[in-house]
Amino acid sequence: MFKERESTPPPSSPKETTPPLSSPPSSPPPSTPYFPPPPQQTTPPSSSPPPPSSGSPPPPFYPSPALKPPTPKNVKCKNKYYPSCYAVQHVCPTSCPASCQVDCVSCKPVCKCDKPGAVCQDPRFIGGDGITFYFHGKKDKEFCLVSDPEFHINAHFIGRRNENMKRDFTWVQSIGILYGTHKISVSALKTSTWDDSIDRLALHFDSEPIYLPDTEGARWQSKTVPMTSITRIENTNEIIIDVENVLTITTKIVPITEQESRVHNYGITNDDCFAHLELGFKFFFLSDEVNGVLGQTYRKDYVSRVKMGVLMPIMGGDKKFAASGIFDADCSVARFQANRVQSNIYKAPLNLQLPSLNCKGGIYGRGVVCKR
């Protein structure tokens, strides 16, 4: 009896232990269906990490160029008629670190694109009246910049379409100059990666190519028209076109940088940096008939129609200034007389020997007229 009673308790105790063991398994199954959702939530994060990892490399590359401001360029006065300033070296202002020149009169560096007669950037013009305005035109089209009975200048625009805007981003890729029976063209060659040590200029006179050594001071002069010359003012990509007693045009080729593209949302890709011209015009003789996007601003009776006080004052008139080709003086405001054999500016330069003037806008030189 005693033995049986002793034996019975042990079996009962294992039975008591087994139920707790059996009960936990039964409880997990119901709980397991609820626990899977959390693991599923953890799996998406595991799939999301790949994107950040793939996107993480770009961020370090994008900010890096923005952190490196361009090094200001050193410039000097190259006009020997100003001995006190000649060859004195200056540093370009921070607003135009790579595109300035020395005003030999004041002996100070000035931004080339801030002077009357300048055409730069997403065509930004400084008129003869000193007023800044933008003319966007259209990509892959030609427009009349200046038209006078004595000469005519067209520009070819390149650009990219901005899907978020109603216009193209545009830049001046080339210009065509007509005077007398002659013509000059200056173009920026297409290039993917910009290297300022490589010349990207294409020059032609009367359809014949012009070759200039890549050396500052290298000069070409027409054998048939000695009054026409082209001179390098840098080893590459910057020249001065001079038609004596008619006009002087400073031309520099520049690219759209990655930083500019990002800031302005140009969307420039690696296959084309949209090399274009920065231009500075100086005219020695203009009639009261002069017209064109830029030319009209030199008329005595001209009154600017652009909206002042806005961030980007825009001049319209795409149709009025449109030309059918780089050497076609057929815009509706054209004034050029191509059949004129002997021009007044060639045979009577007496009224062109004007004193050198210094204007508030920084423009100076023989034949320059300061306007209010």
Side-chain angles (χ1 to χ4, degrees):
M1 295 279 299
F2 232 16
K3 291 178 183 177
E4 290 176 359
R5 283 178 188 174
E6 288 174 356
S7 60
T8 51
S12 65
S13 63
K15 285 178 185 176
E16 288 175 357
T17 56
T18 51
L21 295 170
S22 62
S23 65
S26 62
S27 61
S31 61
T32 48
Y34 296 99
F35 287 126
Q40 289 174 356
Q41 291 175 352
T42 57
T43 50
S46 67
S47 62
S48 63
S53 64
S54 62
S56 58
F61 296 133
Y62 286 120
S64 57
L67 296 174
K68 294 181 180 178
T71 304
K73 183 180 176 183
N74 293 323
V75 291
K76 55 188 177 182
C77 171
K78 299 178 181 179
N79 191 333
K80 294 182 180 180
Y81 292 103
Y82 296 90
S84 61
C85 188
Y86 178 69
V88 176
Q89 189 164 283
H90 299 265
V91 179
C92 283
T94 54
S95 56
C96 54
S99 183
C100 81
Q101 66 186 51
V102 176
D103 176 359
C104 297
V105 177
S106 62
C107 206
K108 294 179 180 179
V110 294
C111 295
K112 293 180 181 179
C113 292
D114 291 341
K115 299 172 62 176
V119 181
C120 302
Q121 302 163 6
D122 181 6
R124 172 179 174 265
F125 292 72
I126 308 289
D129 53 1
I131 295 176
T132 300
F133 64 91
Y134 291 79
F135 176 80
H136 299 300
K138 292 182 180 179
K139 66 174 184 175
D140 304 323
K141 299 293 183 182
E142 287 77 27
F143 296 92
C144 164
L145 298 189
V146 185
S147 189
D148 191 78
E150 306 295 346
F151 65 91
H152 184 98
I153 303 172
N154 282 343
H156 175 75
F157 285 27
I158 55 172
R160 284 181 63 85
R161 186 65 179 177
N162 184 351
E163 299 301 333
N164 299 323
M165 301 174 69
K166 295 181 179 180
R167 68 170 182 87
D168 299 327
F169 287 128
T170 53
W171 301 275
V172 175
Q173 182 267 338
S174 61
I175 57 171
I177 307 162
L178 298 168
Y179 67 100
T181 57
H182 305 286
K183 54 187 179 182
I184 302 172
S185 69
V186 184
S187 305
L189 298 176
K190 181 178 178 179
T191 183
S192 55
T193 303
W194 182 257
D195 182 348
D196 198 44
S197 65
I198 300 175
D199 193 55
R200 306 304 296 167
L201 272 167
L203 305 168
H204 291 80
F205 177 73
D206 288 346
S207 301
E208 293 294 326
I210 297 173
Y211 300 100
L212 275 176
D214 293 354
T215 307
E216 182 181 346
R219 186 172 184 268
W220 169 90
Q221 186 170 14
S222 171
K223 294 179 180 178
T224 56
V225 190
M227 61 182 291
T228 303
S229 65
I230 299 176
T231 307
R232 284 196 187 275
I233 53 178
E234 293 291 343
N235 291 338
T236 58
N237 299 311
E238 191 166 5
I239 59 170
I240 287 181
I241 303 167
D242 185 46
V243 180
E244 189 177 352
N245 296 331
V246 181
L247 55 80
T248 295
I249 306 173
T250 304
T251 305
K252 180 180 175 64
I253 297 183
V254 296
I256 296 298
T257 64
E258 184 180 349
Q259 184 178 3
E260 288 174 323
S261 179
R262 190 167 64 254
V263 170
H264 298 288
N265 198 27
Y266 288 147
I268 301 301
T269 55
N270 293 331
D271 62 330
D272 191 353
C273 67
F274 282 81
H276 59 282
L277 305 180
E278 286 188 346
L279 302 160
F281 293 92
K282 186 187 294 184
F283 307 107
F284 297 103
F285 182 93
L286 288 172
S287 73
D288 291 336
E289 301 176 51
V290 65
N291 214 314
V293 178
L294 177 64
Q296 63 183 344
T297 66
Y298 287 84
R299 286 203 313 263
K300 295 177 182 178
D301 61 348
Y302 176 74
V303 178
S304 179
R305 295 182 179 86
V306 299
K307 189 175 182 180
M308 306 304 295
V310 297
L311 184 62
M312 183 178 283
I314 297 175
M315 178 181 290
D318 289 15
K319 294 180 180 179
K320 181 169 65 172
F321 301 117
S324 56
I326 196 69
F327 287 123
D328 292 317
D330 58 359
C331 59
S332 63
V333 296
R335 299 292 184 266
F336 180 60
Q337 299 175 17
N339 296 325
R340 182 177 293 195
V341 179
Q342 276 193 321
S343 167
N344 292 331
I345 58 177
Y346 302 145
K347 63 184 181 181
L350 297 177
N351 61 341
L352 299 174
Q353 303 300 325
L354 302 177
S356 179
L357 300 179
N358 182 20
C359 301
K360 291 182 179 180
I363 193 169
Y364 63 90
R366 179 171 58 89
V368 174
V369 178
C370 297
K371 301 182 71 174
R372 65 180 185 279

